[in-house]
Amino acid sequence: MDLFRIERFGAECLDEEDVKAKEMHLHKLIEQRRKKRKSNISEEDETKTLKKKKKKKLADDTEECKQEIVVKEKKLKKKKKKQSDDEEDESEVEKQKLEKKKKSKTKVDKSIENALENSEDESSILREDSTDKRSKKKENSLEGVEIEEINEQIEEENEEKHNNDDLQQEPEKEHSFPILGKQVHRSKGPVKRNLPRWLAEPKIISSRTDTHNEHKIEELDFLSCNTIKNLERMGVKHLFPVQSHVVPTVMDMFKNKKPCFPCRDICVQSPTGSGKTLSYVMPVIEAMSKNIIRDLQCLVVLPTKDLAAQVKVTFDQCVVGTNLKVGLVAGVKSFAKEQESIITARPTGFHTLIDILVCSPGRLVDHLKLTPGFSLAHLKYMVIDEADRLLSDSYANWLALSMKSVQADSSHKIFPLTPAKFSKPFQHVQKFLFSATLTENPEKIATLELFNPILFLSQSSRKKKDDDQDVEGEEQPPEDQEVNLKTYVVPDQLKERMMVVEAHQKPLALLYLMKNEDHQCALCFTNSIESTHRLFLLLQRFKDIKVAEFSSKLNETQRKGILRDFRQQKVNLLIATDSMSRGMDIRNVDLVVNYDAPNNAKTYVHRVGRTARGGEEGEAVTILQGKEVFHFKKMHQSLDTARPIKKIRINEQAFEEFEDDYELALRDLKTKVQSEKKKI
């Protein structure tokens, strides 16, 4: 051991304490190794026992499976034996039947042979008598028929056997392929559109604007005294159905508004001349009249500069007596003057000079890109008038840029972090959509990002009887009726008629309406600028009719002058394109003429909406060719109106008094058109 210790631990480790400690350490290591060996041996034994148990289980399972297979084979053999016995019995029965039939056949054959022998004997005896020959032929033919009938019966019986065999084999095939359930054919009902709740359940408004639906201004408690005075100064004595529904709901939203919960958006579809402009002007002014700090908080977007100028005038009249200022950005003035009117540069930075901005989409985009300091960061209200046109593809860019400018304030750097940076909550822009033909295209509506919107939908308050009489009906539609935004409404006070003439008689039909029917202020629509200009040149020959044209070809001063003369009735007939069909409010228009047939129901609604405005009566006449009548009537049936369109019947002699002057006017038209082409 001493030698072992010296070799193991060295010569220096000869102290007793060190030697004992090291010996104890070696003993521990030896014991640990022994334990490991024992544990390994026990684990190996356990694995061996587990393997033996598994082998026994597999052997037992295989024996049980073999026994089950043997039992199944025995059962199958028994079934096969039974089937074979049954088949043998059936075959014996069939053999017996066949034997019986063969016996019957042999009997028939014998009877036939006997009959033939007898017939031969008789023929040898009675060869001279022709009558007997004929009788023999008949008998032979009858016997042949009987033989054929017997053969047919035998064939039918054989076919029945084959069919019975097939029927006996078919159920076996059916059982080989199990069918789960039963195929029940149910008749499917009509498919209904799956619309959002705000589109499927709108608030219905009557389209009538007569005294039955009046709400006098003096009795209203949700408008301030200043607003009531301004409305009385404008000549407004009562609210129309659209105004009496929209304005109170918006005012209630403003009063009951929660600090962190935005107001709901508003969508309105109402016929032309029903007072949509005032329905958004009044609540916006009421909400902003108490503002102290001047910021651009309301943006009103309209498709044309003429309509924007008209709405700006309405705002100016309603803003009297308040601290609010309204700006116009629509291309009426130069770009530099518009910049000076909306924003100024001060030592502290840029400051806005307006609270409400009325604009066209193109000019708005120009100012957002080119005017320094102009933004919509403080915007609270966005009004989109004629929304279906502004959401079309040609005006698609303005909405994205304006929403980007609204959210630009949150994209700035927020350092250093101070409580003031977090004091301003999230600013939601409440949107107001107005149109006589509001779109229901989900792709276009989604770009607006509407918040829990409310839809106000005008429907005709008259129903149609079988005798084509108009009767007053309820405002609410039936429960089963599906709400459709494409069923446009025309004013109830509008009288609609049509004239069917040939193409060369259309100018004569227009002259007939102006001269034989006493119309002082008529508006005529065409489909193009060229046809507008040519019709204007043609009718200048008739001096008793004061004619003017209105199109985008004219400059701003010319258009303003023509509208002023038309409002003052210095012009009796104004020929215009569809640029004037939207939103223009011209009083005293008693006749609208569709010189060219409208392409769709939307265009027709906006054209005829220039008359019968504000509860007044008006008339619309459409001049058609024979091939256009069917399509026009089909389009008119899609409108929400109960009045059938009437036809003006004209005699052939009605145009004779205009023919001479008409021929001279055509000659003058040719010379004028040629001279204009030379100038170009």
Side-chain angles (χ1 to χ4, degrees):
M1 288 297 290
D2 294 332
L3 291 171
F4 174 74
R5 289 172 187 172
I6 292 165
E7 290 176 359
R8 183 75 175 173
F9 302 106
E12 294 178 358
C13 299
L14 296 175
D15 295 336
E16 292 180 359
E17 292 179 359
D18 295 335
V19 170
K20 287 179 182 180
K22 289 179 179 180
E23 284 179 356
M24 291 294 289
H25 181 65
L26 287 170
H27 286 300
K28 286 180 182 179
L29 292 172
I30 291 163
E31 287 177 0
Q32 288 177 0
R33 288 177 182 175
R34 287 175 182 175
K35 287 179 181 180
K36 284 183 181 180
R37 287 175 184 175
K38 287 180 181 180
S39 63
N40 292 327
I41 291 164
S42 62
E43 287 177 358
E44 289 177 357
D45 295 336
E46 287 178 358
T47 53
K48 287 178 181 179
T49 53
L50 289 170
K51 287 180 180 179
K52 288 178 181 180
K53 288 179 181 179
K54 286 181 180 179
K55 286 180 181 180
K56 286 181 180 180
K57 286 182 180 180
L58 289 170
D60 295 334
D61 293 334
T62 51
E63 287 179 359
E64 288 178 358
C65 292
K66 287 179 180 179
Q67 289 176 0
E68 288 178 357
I69 291 164
V70 171
V71 172
K72 288 181 180 179
E73 287 178 353
K74 288 179 181 179
K75 288 180 180 179
L76 291 170
K77 286 179 181 179
K78 287 179 180 179
K79 286 182 180 179
K80 287 180 180 179
K81 284 181 181 180
K82 287 181 180 179
Q83 289 177 359
S84 62
D85 294 336
D86 294 334
E87 289 176 356
E88 288 176 358
D89 295 334
E90 289 177 357
S91 63
E92 288 177 357
V93 172
E94 289 176 357
K95 286 178 181 179
Q96 290 176 1
K97 288 180 179 179
L98 290 170
E99 287 177 356
K100 288 180 181 179
K101 287 180 180 179
K102 286 179 180 179
K103 289 178 181 179
S104 62
K105 283 182 182 179
T106 53
K107 288 180 181 179
V108 172
D109 293 333
K110 287 179 180 180
S111 62
I112 291 165
E113 288 176 358
N114 293 326
L116 290 169
E117 289 177 356
N118 294 325
S119 63
E120 287 177 356
D121 295 334
E122 288 176 358
S123 62
S124 62
I125 295 167
L126 301 171
R127 286 177 181 176
E128 294 178 356
D129 297 329
S130 61
T131 55
D132 294 336
K133 289 180 181 180
R134 290 175 184 175
S135 64
K136 282 181 182 181
K137 288 180 181 179
K138 287 180 181 179
E139 287 175 357
N140 291 326
S141 62
L142 290 170
E143 288 174 354
V145 170
E146 290 177 354
I147 293 163
E148 289 178 356
E149 289 177 354
I150 291 163
N151 291 326
E152 287 177 355
Q153 290 178 358
I154 293 163
E155 289 177 356
E156 288 176 357
E157 289 176 355
N158 292 326
E159 288 178 357
E160 288 178 357
K161 284 182 181 179
H162 290 296
N163 292 328
N164 291 326
D165 295 335
D166 295 332
L167 291 170
Q168 289 176 0
Q169 292 176 0
E170 283 178 359
E172 293 178 357
K173 292 180 181 178
E174 289 178 358
H175 289 297
S176 62
F177 297 99
I179 298 171
L180 299 175
K182 295 181 179 179
Q183 294 180 357
V184 180
H185 297 283
R186 296 177 182 176
S187 60
K188 296 181 180 179
V191 179
K192 294 184 179 181
R193 298 180 301 167
N194 188 9
L195 294 174
R197 188 174 181 181
W198 68 275
L199 278 174
E201 299 177 2
K203 292 186 177 181
I204 304 301
I205 305 172
S206 174
S207 62
R208 295 184 65 84
T209 55
D210 55 2
T211 56
H212 180 71
N213 291 312
E214 283 185 358
H215 295 273
K216 293 182 180 180
I217 296 174
E218 299 173 356
E219 300 174 356
L220 302 177
D221 57 350
F222 51 83
L223 294 177
S224 62
C225 296
N226 186 32
T227 303
I228 292 171
K229 288 180 182 178
N230 291 332
L231 292 174
E232 288 176 350
R233 196 181 296 111
M234 293 166 62
V236 178
K237 297 180 180 179
H238 62 273
L239 298 183
F240 292 147
V242 176
Q243 299 165 356
S244 61
H245 282 76
V246 175
V247 177
T249 54
V250 177
M251 296 302 296
D252 289 338
M253 287 181 191
F254 295 157
K255 288 180 182 179
N256 302 322
K257 184 180 178 182
K258 296 180 181 179
C260 296
F261 194 79
C263 293
R264 299 175 68 180
D265 295 330
I266 303 295
C267 301
V268 180
Q269 176 172 306
S270 180
T272 55
S274 59
K276 293 189 291 295
T277 304
L278 280 178
S279 61
Y280 64 79
V281 169
M282 286 189 286
V284 166
I285 291 174
E286 287 288 329
M288 297 177 60
S289 59
K290 298 179 182 179
N291 291 349
I292 299 172
I293 299 172
R294 176 155 289 139
D295 286 320
L296 179 55
Q297 296 183 0
C298 179
L299 181 69
V300 184
V301 188
L302 300 112
T304 61
K305 61 174 74 176
D306 299 316
L307 187 55
Q310 178 180 298
V311 172
K312 203 260 183 184
V313 172
T314 305
F315 267 105
D316 289 337
Q317 292 174 349
C318 294
V319 164
V320 176
T322 63
N323 194 28
L324 301 175
K325 289 190 177 180
V326 185
L328 177 63
V329 172
V332 178
K333 298 179 181 179
S334 63
F335 191 76
K337 288 183 178 180
E338 287 180 350
Q339 286 179 330
E340 293 174 358
S341 64
I342 62 176
I343 198 164
T344 57
R346 295 177 183 175
T348 56
F350 291 99
H351 293 271
T352 58
L353 298 174
I354 55 174
D355 301 288
I356 301 167
L357 180 62
V358 183
C359 62
S360 60
R363 209 62 162 181
L364 175 63
V365 171
D366 293 339
H367 282 284
L368 286 172
K369 291 180 178 180
L370 302 175
T371 302
F374 178 74
S375 69
L376 306 175
H378 301 281
L379 195 68
K380 291 184 179 180
Y381 314 106
M382 180 184 287
V383 181
I384 304 174
D385 203 346
E386 304 296 340
D388 58 328
R389 187 173 176 184
L390 287 172
L391 293 176
S392 61
D393 296 333
S394 57
Y395 294 97
N397 192 25
W398 75 269
L399 183 60
L401 288 173
S402 60
M403 296 306 294
K404 186 178 179 181
S405 179
V406 169
Q407 299 170 1
D409 192 21
S410 61
S411 64
H412 295 163
K413 293 181 180 180
I414 61 173
F415 296 102
L417 294 176
T418 59
K421 297 291 183 181
F422 298 97
S423 61
K424 185 178 179 181
F426 173 73
Q427 188 68 34
H428 173 75
V429 179
Q430 188 178 9
K431 301 177 186 68
F432 298 84
L433 275 69
F434 291 85
S435 181
T437 54
L438 194 65
T439 181
E440 61 177 358
N441 187 353
E443 185 178 357
K444 293 180 179 179
I445 293 173
T447 58
L448 293 168
E449 298 179 357
L450 300 177
F451 174 76
N452 195 13
I454 304 173
L455 175 62
F456 294 91
L457 183 63
S458 291
Q459 288 188 353
S460 179
S461 59
R462 291 181 177 272
K463 296 180 181 179
K464 191 175 181 180
K465 279 188 173 181
D466 295 335
D467 55 353
D468 292 337
Q469 292 181 357
D470 293 340
V471 293
E472 190 174 336
E474 297 179 355
E475 292 186 7
Q476 296 293 336
E479 294 180 356
D480 297 335
Q481 185 178 355
E482 186 180 0
V483 176
N484 189 0
L485 292 179
K486 292 184 180 179
T487 54
Y488 305 132
V489 183
V490 295
D492 288 340
Q493 295 79 18
L494 181 66
K495 181 181 177 182
E496 299 172 273
R497 295 188 297 171
M498 67 177 182
M499 296 177 69
V500 182
V501 295
E502 295 181 1
H504 66 277
Q505 294 179 334
K506 290 174 76 174
L508 296 173
L510 181 59
L511 290 170
Y512 175 83
L513 291 172
M514 293 300 299
K515 289 190 175 183
N516 292 353
E517 298 182 4
D518 190 14
H519 295 292
Q520 299 298 325
C521 192
L523 184 60
C524 179
F525 286 101
T526 61
N527 287 340
S528 64
I529 297 172
E530 186 178 357
S531 59
T532 299
H533 184 61
R534 289 191 176 185
L535 184 61
F536 165 70
L537 295 176
L538 180 66
L539 296 179
Q540 276 185 330
R541 176 79 181 179
F542 301 89
K543 296 182 180 180
D544 53 347
I545 300 174
K546 298 176 182 178
V547 190
E549 64 173 327
F550 185 92
S551 65
S552 58
K553 188 178 180 180
L554 305 176
N555 58 30
E556 186 63 29
T557 55
Q558 290 175 339
R559 294 171 78 175
K560 279 186 178 179
I562 290 167
L563 288 176
R564 183 183 63 252
D565 293 341
F566 189 58
R567 287 191 174 99
Q568 295 175 0
Q569 295 187 1
K570 294 180 181 179
V571 173
N572 302 121
L573 178 62
L574 181 62
I575 304 168
T577 58
D578 287 328
S579 61
M580 195 177 177
S581 64
R582 283 184 177 263
M584 296 299 294
D585 187 14
I586 301 173
R587 299 291 178 181
N588 302 323
V589 176
D590 55 358
L591 176 65
V592 171
V593 180
N594 291 311
Y595 185 81
D596 294 328
N599 296 323
N600 48 41
K602 187 182 290 187
T603 305
Y604 178 78
V605 168
H606 285 286
R607 282 183 178 182
V608 301
R610 299 313 100 206
T611 186
R613 299 176 66 85
E616 298 179 357
E617 294 184 354
E619 185 177 355
V621 179
T622 305
I623 301 174
L624 301 169
Q625 300 180 36
K627 60 183 179 181
E628 297 173 338
V629 174
F630 174 76
H631 297 288
F632 177 75
K633 285 185 175 180
K634 189 176 180 181
M635 179 271 296
H636 190 267
Q637 288 174 359
S638 66
L639 302 176
D640 187 12
T641 179
R643 297 180 302 275
I645 190 164
K646 296 180 181 180
K647 183 178 179 181
I648 301 174
R649 301 188 181 277
I650 303 173
N651 297 325
E652 295 180 356
Q653 299 176 356
F655 298 148
E656 289 181 357
E657 56 179 336
F658 311 125
E659 286 181 354
D660 295 336
D661 294 334
Y662 180 61
E663 289 178 359
L664 294 173
L666 286 175
R667 293 174 186 172
D668 294 340
L669 177 63
K670 289 181 181 179
T671 56
K672 288 179 181 178
V673 170
Q674 289 175 359
S675 62
E676 286 180 355
K677 287 181 178 179
K678 289 179 181 178
K679 290 179 182 179
I680 296 170

